[in-house]
Amino acid sequence: MHTAASETSSPSTPRTSRDLRWRVVDIVVASVIGVATGLLFLFWNNVGYAWFSAADALTPGLGGVAVGIWLIGGVLGGLIIRKPGAALFVELLAAIVSALVGNQWGIETIYSGLAQGLGAELVFAIFAYRRFGLVPAMLAGAAAGAAAWTLELFVSGNLAKSAEFLGLYFTTVVISGAVLAGLLGWLIVRGLAATGALSRFAAGQDVAQRV
Amino acid sequence: MIATQRLHLVDRVNPVSRLAAAMLLTTPLLLTVDWVSAAVALGVQLVLFAMAGVTPRVLIARGWPILIAAPIAGLSMLLYGQPEGTEYWSFWLARITDGSIELAVAVTVRVLAIGLPAVLLFMNVDPTELADGLAQIAKLPSRFVLGALAGARLVGLFMEDWRAMALSRRARGIGDHGVVRRFATMAFALLVLAIRRGSKLATAMEARGFGSDHPRTWARESRVGWPDALLLCIAVAIAVLAISCAVWAGTFHAVWA
Amino acid sequence: MGRVSETTRPARVEARGWGWRHAGRKRTALDRIDLVVSPGERVLLLGPSGSGKSTLLHALAGVHGGAEEGEEFGSLLIDGEWPGAVRGRASLVLQDPDSQVILARVGDDVAFGCENLGIPRDEIWPRARRALDEVGLDLPLDHSTSALSGGQKQRLALAGALAMGPGLLLLDEPTANLDPAGVHEVRQAVARTLDRTGATFVVVEHRVDVWIDLVTRVVVLGRDGRLIADGEPQEVISTQRDTLLAAGVWVPGVPPAVSAARPVPAASVVDLEGIGLAIGRRSDAVVRSDLSLALPRAASTVLTGPNGAGKSTLALTMGGLLPPLGGRVRASEALARGLKTDPIRWRSRELLSRIGTVFQEPEHQFVASTVHRELEVAPRALGLDAATTARRTREVLERLGLDRLAEANPFTLSGGEQRRLTVGCALVSQPGVVILDEPTFGQDRLTWIELVTLLRGLVDEGTTLLSVSHDAAYLDALGDQHLDLGSDALRMEAAA
């Protein structure tokens, strides 16, 4: 088997069933998910932001409840692509789409995407890119929320706000990340796998039962 | 949408340099929350963009999300900003004080100063040229840059899919009620279609030799020249001027302080 | 590796005991294939859905994915080398026009393959221009690719493949999604190319008549993924006739066994009519105006016309989904059942039991996670009781032969099954009028016959049908009334 193939495939990447190198389909589908998530952000930048700002302006830190949706790119990328950097790539690309089309945060959006993507990526890396169940998904969402909170301390000047505000805001952002990004992202990926759309990915082959 | 508004200088600058300029200009402003640096930066930006050809109409058409977001960010800071000096009003955790008023003004102007340049600099960016620049000038990995570019091109198809799905919901008898649920079924179906299309697109790209380790050539050369250098200098100059004014006026307020 | 082929020296293909199993499947998609294609040979590859035809083409193009996507047996070589190692020797054009446009401008898209092969910049643009000439796409290099028709997109993909200078040209159902004009364009472009380059050629397609005069050899794969026939085109077609028909292949000279269209009785009642209609998808963009048409009850009307003539827009307007931009759509009192006679003013739920619309793309219509639940959407929206819902759903499942798939996810069905399901979703609410947009797009002969027989049955039971189609055989079978949007004006008299 693979008689002719073995000499041409690069020797540094042995053919295992869990190849961590990105295939073209990984890159393109990650990009498509990133762009689609970016479009979702454009919608949420209005709807979600309305809640965020109303809550943020009138209540201390409860605006964080709406933040989770902005963190979903990292969870989707990590769960579907299952390669190092996928969570970061998808969340960052979504942020770039959102920034380039135009939103209220400008270039700052890209920094947010970077931080949120890294937060989610860190969790998948801790699980050594081997576990993609509900627990890693919710932890990735929560970590993305924590990263977003940390970045906002500086770029939004939140360090100038009171400790009570920051504590409440941290709690809501992390819970929102775990639920709206982690749980929801996990449910979406499960649904996608059931449609057969992920047949070229390990995430879809686990579920596919057709012979 | 006003997509065809031409800009002097900016239109001749490589998209990568525009990205760099936006970062050079706004990143230093992120370090401080004070009204002087933000106001100086915003003032200079508005004058320069007006000279480049940004009319008030364009400013509103492209910048409205920022124009709305700025006062909202200010209001949050007004109520929950670190209290300092005289207290005018309080309710539970909300306290309006001298300090929070000053912070609120600063944050409002700061959102404008940071948000507007990105939107205006990217007004006429062609995604293909941005990708060419990112891969050839910024030397990002071409597989990822081109994969992202090709994926982004599918957006036009997604828009058509979305319209067809909206009509089909009416035909299926679920067009009148449950906006949230309808949105959810459409968003999910769109994701399915997007991934299917993406998988096929990946095959089509591989069929054209994409993704091998072999070095690729570029049919379109991405160039940088003096307009790029000029824009970058302007960006740095504005940032330096804004921060210097704040330090000189004694209002510089580092975010970590 | 990654050697660039000089010009177009025809390639030689050799498979020895080759096979492939997709990851996560028990059965091999292709099994012990032995096949030698000599340089310059032109092969038509036939077989039923799921026989692995596409898999073989993808493997030849070196794009069937690595170990993550499946397991390979035996050897498959191009000019004695593994296909992945000689990128550019083979190039592949796929079925779906929309999914193989890669870049935003025509010139960039054609140049893409050359760039990947590392061809110097000065050489790329002449190659791109020559390839565009060859496929007959006379467009500026900076023309937008999203503005092209389906046939043009396929020719663009062909140009992108040709610019790479391949010795082996592979086409995977390149005309399945095209109208007759598009099919003709693509076929002519391929014929010209092959005559000039002499490249080795392998094409997969259900419609034999498109390619039969161009190929020198026909190879047939069986349902089990093994090779069952190989030889001269005419000989294979005649000896394997029954096998091919059973595989859903459109064999030339064998018309589908369905009854022909029948004339509309002169005294027919009109169920739905358009009076002086102006149509368009957006209120500021009128596509056509002054259209008048009438749909006689219990008869089938087929609407034809060239691309961009507004066929689908007219169908959606008649179906009460798009508002008329001028004139009006009027439903008969019997169809309106007490409502105002303008369908666009009906609520979604009211439309459901009066006019059913089946869209061109089945996947645009799915809203549920199983076939069974998909069929229950309409009864639920109508507020029918549980017993009625269950009965109607069961009836439709049986009638459409989908009972076996009741618990399957709609997105996982085959193209033919998906089409039947969308028709079923319209039937379950028992509308008086059913509107279908390109119902036979990309269908093989078997699913085509099933669908046409089903629709004729509906008409016989009293349903009024309006279909948009470019399919000549469909018009023969269901064109009780034929309306041609290509003609100057569409009038009610055309119904006679």
Side-chain angles (χ1 to χ4, degrees), chain A residues 52 64 158:
Chain A
F52 177 81
N158 276 358

Side-chain angles (χ1 to χ4, degrees), chain A residues 8-21:
Chain A
T8 45
S9 67
S10 128
S12 60
T13 52
R15 279 169 183 265
T16 61
S17 58
R18 220 177 107 268
D19 195 344
L20 291 182
R21 187 184 142 83

Side-chain angles (χ1 to χ4, degrees), chain B residues 157-175 181-194 197, chain C residues 281 316 321 348 357 359-367 411:
Chain B
L157 294 176
F158 298 164
M159 302 291 182
E160 283 171 32
D161 286 333
W162 191 263
R163 263 178 241 126
M165 285 193 289
L167 289 181
S168 83
R169 268 39 182 189
R170 170 163 163 83
R172 299 286 317 268
I174 50 174
R181 212 174 140 204
R182 196 166 79 237
F183 176 83
T185 71
M186 285 166 64
F188 181 77
L190 186 70
L191 209 49
V192 173
L193 285 168
R197 286 229 169 87
Chain C
R281 290 191 190 242
L316 293 172
L321 298 176
S348 175
T357 303
F359 287 66
Q360 186 170 324
E361 191 72 64
E363 296 186 348
H364 283 156
Q365 281 169 275
F366 295 147
V367 298
F411 284 101

Side-chain angles (χ1 to χ4, degrees), chain A residues 37 40-41 68-77 91 180-182 184-185 188:
Chain A
T37 311
L40 176 68
F41 286 0
I69 292 291
W70 282 303
L71 311 173
I72 203 167
V75 176
L76 289 178
E91 185 70 39
L180 288 183
L184 184 62
I188 289 174

